[in-house]
Amino acid sequence: MRTKEFGRTGRKVSEIGFGAWAIGAAWGEVNDEEALTALHAALDTGVTFIDTADVYGDGHSERLIAKVMKERGGERPFIATKAGRRLPQQSVEGYSAENLDGWIDRSLKNLETDCLDLVQLHCPPTDLYYHPEVFGRLDKLVEKGKIRNYGVSVERVEEALKAIEYPGVVSVQIIFNAFRQRPIEHFFKQALEKKVAIIARVPLASGLLSGKFKKDTKFEANDHRLFNRNGEAFDVGETFSGVPYEVGLEAVEKVRPLVSGDTAMAKFALRWILMFDAVTVAIPGARNPAQASSNAEAAGLPAISDSAMREIKSIYDTYIKQYVHQRW
């Protein structure tokens, strides 16, 4: 497992991390024992970055991570959490000093630690990025010793570009995969210049890029890939990266011939993300140890050929771009 500098923090993290949304909620039924073994398996393969949020299972994901940390002992990996989605309705006013304090205290308790490695604002409204006082409140939480670093998780490239104007923002988490390529155009260059870490989330387009889904695949009622298919519960870009399901299935079949030998398509899709130097860490989810180990193996795959990279760009331009490129 290769490691990379995590922006300006002085910490190094594995190129493949562990996205802990799926073990918390909204991805169908998850067995806690399997979730715990998945986390152990990821850490055993050299994963040193875990991403969670205070709302994943109403803190359940954070508490599972704390349990694994207690079971393992020794040096803790870099654990990133998020704050802001506990608001009943998103507003800039909701990101008050009092609310931020309360959310972070709750995460400190859930994660059983006295200081959080990284707190990310969790897809706040676009207008928030034009309110420096919110970032000033995060600076004060660093001064208090409650958080070591802060960053943002964004929906849109414009939000990412605005966020990194603030000197305290050390990282940006953004949807990036073969079906969401817009960050390559301008954002990656800016982030590299400012030494801002990039966390690539939804790296498999909610599983579309695993190549395992079909038109008649059934998703459970509590799986966002069913209940948020059209953005009914939150931003539709979070589900299948905003790509209409059947369009995505068609594009996947065009990608499939590019995957060589017995390489799993999911690993190929993760390796594609790692071809971009600006990306610090990709955070696929895993609900069992087999998935966790397979994800980690992506870092060891050989580089994807120039011709395959060009073909993936062509597939994106032909099938996907019209649905997602200017929207996010």
Side-chain angles (χ1 to χ4, degrees), residues 189-237:
K189 182 175 181 287
Q190 295 289 321
L192 277 170
E193 286 178 359
K194 297 190 176 188
K195 294 186 178 177
V196 171
I198 294 178
I199 305 164
R201 65 188 176 95
V202 197
L204 298 177
S206 307
L208 256 183
L209 285 163
S210 72
K212 294 179 179 178
F213 298 160
K214 298 175 180 167
K215 285 185 180 180
D216 60 353
T217 297
K218 302 293 183 194
F219 297 99
E220 297 172 72
N222 59 346
D223 189 325
H224 74 99
R225 292 171 293 187
L226 178 65
F227 70 74
N228 194 56
R229 185 75 64 91
N230 300 302
E232 296 92 336
F234 40 81
D235 192 288
V236 72

Side-chain angles (χ1 to χ4, degrees), residues 91-108:
S91 67
V92 175
E93 294 72 28
Y95 289 79
S96 63
E98 182 182 6
N99 281 344
L100 284 164
D101 241 359
W103 297 330
I104 282 157
D105 284 346
R106 190 173 184 275
S107 287
L108 286 166

Side-chain angles (χ1 to χ4, degrees), residues 1-2 15-16 267 271 274 294-303:
M1 177 69 74
R2 292 184 300 251
E15 282 187 311
I16 299 290
K267 284 193 271 195
R271 186 66 183 89
L274 301 182
S294 180
N295 290 340
E297 289 166 5
L301 292 179

Side-chain angles (χ1 to χ4, degrees), residues 10-29:
R11 295 279 298 270
K12 284 192 169 184
V13 300
S14 54
E15 282 187 311
I16 299 290
F18 186 98
W21 182 14
I23 65 170
W27 289 77
E29 292 305 316

Side-chain angles (χ1 to χ4, degrees), residues 38-289:
L39 268 165
H40 278 295
L43 295 166
D44 289 343
T45 64
V47 165
T48 59
F49 184 89
I50 300 173
D51 177 82
T52 186
D54 56 358
V55 291
Y56 294 166
D58 195 24
H60 188 60
S61 174
E62 289 180 325
R63 292 189 291 272
L64 287 174
I65 292 164
K67 183 173 170 61
V68 168
M69 294 304 103
K70 195 179 290 183
E71 289 172 357
R72 293 181 76 89
E75 188 177 349
R76 287 168 70 102
F78 192 109
I79 300 172
T81 192
K82 307 184 197 77
R85 301 306 290 188
R86 299 190 66 76
L87 287 170
Q89 188 170 349
Q90 286 293 303
S91 67
V92 175
E93 294 72 28
Y95 289 79
S96 63
E98 182 182 6
N99 281 344
L100 284 164
D101 241 359
W103 297 330
I104 282 157
D105 284 346
R106 190 173 184 275
S107 287
L108 286 166
K109 183 179 178 183
N110 285 341
L111 286 164
E112 298 181 29
T113 186
D114 56 3
C115 184
L116 299 171
D117 290 328
L118 178 72
V119 169
Q120 304 157 93
L121 298 183
H122 197 173
C123 300
T126 302
D127 193 39
L128 177 136
Y129 297 98
Y130 297 85
H131 285 263
E133 68 274 12
V134 175
F135 297 90
R137 290 165 196 151
L138 292 167
D139 288 329
K140 285 180 181 171
L141 287 164
V142 173
E143 290 167 13
K144 286 181 183 178
K146 288 189 176 186
I147 63 177
R148 290 186 181 88
N149 304 283
Y150 64 83
V152 295
S153 181
V154 302
E155 297 285 7
R156 296 175 174 82
V157 169
E158 69 169 289
E159 295 167 346
L161 289 166
K162 183 63 185 173
I164 64 175
E165 291 180 11
Y166 294 99
V169 171
V170 303
S171 65
V172 171
Q173 184 171 150
I174 192 165
I175 295 176
F176 180 61
N177 58 54
F179 288 174
R180 282 285 284 273
Q181 296 192 26
R182 190 178 179 193
I184 299 166
E185 289 181 349
H186 303 295
F187 173 58
F188 280 5
K189 182 175 181 287
Q190 295 289 321
L192 277 170
E193 286 178 359
K194 297 190 176 188
K195 294 186 178 177
V196 171
I198 294 178
I199 305 164
R201 65 188 176 95
V202 197
L204 298 177
S206 307
L208 256 183
L209 285 163
S210 72
K212 294 179 179 178
F213 298 160
K214 298 175 180 167
K215 285 185 180 180
D216 60 353
T217 297
K218 302 293 183 194
F219 297 99
E220 297 172 72
N222 59 346
D223 189 325
H224 74 99
R225 292 171 293 187
L226 178 65
F227 70 74
N228 194 56
R229 185 75 64 91
N230 300 302
E232 296 92 336
F234 40 81
D235 192 288
V236 72
E238 303 287 341
T239 301
F240 301 129
S241 296
V243 179
Y245 184 58
E246 294 198 358
V247 172
L249 291 177
E250 187 179 3
V252 162
E253 293 311 311
K254 302 298 179 184
V255 174
R256 199 183 298 278
L258 303 173
V259 184
S260 59
D262 59 355
T263 300
M265 193 165 177
K267 284 193 271 195
F268 177 83
L270 291 172
R271 186 66 183 89
W272 181 88
I273 291 170
L274 301 182
M275 293 294 291
F276 296 87
D277 289 342
V279 174
T280 310
V281 56
I283 51 168
R287 295 191 290 177
N288 58 59

